Amino acid sequence: EFPQLAERLQNPKIRAYFTKLGVDTEEVEKLFLLMDEDGSGSVTQEEFMVGCLRLKGEAKSLDLELLHQDVKFMLGTMIDSHEQLQ
């Protein structure tokens, strides 16, 4: 869950791990939302591992992933609106 992730990221060793992976820990809430693929409000071990690998790299990677999520949301909204109009 998000509060647990935020708390654990206060640990310098865990922050160092993320830094070594190239994951920006300053965007904790966004990071959590991107990792929570199924929208359950918690991140499974698999979601966590896949998320870390996917977001590995400079801040640009996180920005691109956030943009990707926004586009998916907007596309879904547009499809729903289109279906309702028909």
Side-chain angles (χ1 to χ4, degrees):
E1 296 181 358
F2 175 70
Q4 291 173 328
L5 177 61
E7 181 181 324
R8 289 191 177 152
L9 284 173
Q10 299 305 311
N11 181 325
K13 289 182 181 181
I14 293 176
R15 288 183 78 83
Y17 173 77
F18 276 97
T19 300
K20 189 169 186 168
L21 286 177
V23 175
D24 181 9
T25 57
E26 296 303 315
E27 303 281 348
V28 179
E29 188 170 5
K30 292 177 184 175
L31 181 64
F32 179 84
L33 291 172
L34 288 173
M35 288 183 175
D36 184 16
E37 295 245 337
D38 61 4
S40 66
S42 62
V43 176
T44 65
Q45 185 176 10
E46 182 179 341
E47 287 174 324
F48 179 79
M49 292 171 57
V50 170
C52 283
L53 293 174
R54 191 176 66 223
L55 298 173
K56 184 175 157 181
E58 297 180 22
K60 291 179 185 176
S61 299
L62 178 58
D63 294 337
L64 288 173
E65 192 60 34
L66 289 168
L67 180 61
H68 180 244
Q69 292 297 321
D70 288 344
V71 169
K72 282 178 27 180
F73 173 78
M74 289 183 349
L75 183 59
T77 301
M78 289 173 55
I79 289 171
D80 290 345
S81 296
H82 179 72
E83 289 174 354
Q84 290 177 358
L85 291 173
Q86 291 185 359

